[in-house]
Amino acid sequence: MKREHKEEASTAAILRAWDAAPDVFTGSALSSIMLHLTEALQARGLAAGGKLTPAARNLLRRVDARARA
């Protein structure tokens, strides 16, 4: 597998986990982690307004297509 494909697959796993994560209580360790992860995803244009962006969904589709091939 090409390096960029591995990186996309890893990013896709993070996106899926972030998208599936439940809302957490402020002040918990998980809320701090989710806050920083959300900020990082937003900085990369992969999340906005608590949702995945079209760019994130396109990345997920590419990874899924490679997995099916």
Side-chain angles (χ1 to χ4, degrees):
M1 180 184 286
K2 293 181 180 181
R3 179 183 170 104
E4 60 267 14
H5 292 179
K6 287 181 183 179
E7 290 176 4
E8 280 194 345
S10 297
T11 302
I14 292 168
L15 288 170
R16 286 185 176 106
W18 179 85
D19 196 38
D23 291 335
V24 293
F25 296 106
T26 303
S28 71
L30 182 57
S31 70
S32 177
I33 292 166
M34 293 305 291
L35 173 66
H36 292 294
L37 181 55
T38 300
E39 290 171 350
L41 293 175
Q42 289 173 342
R44 297 288 183 215
L46 298 173
K51 296 182 180 186
L52 297 176
T53 63
R57 288 191 294 276
N58 288 336
L59 185 146
L60 291 171
R61 280 194 280 278
R62 282 193 308 274
V63 169
D64 290 344
R66 279 195 299 268
R68 286 189 300 270

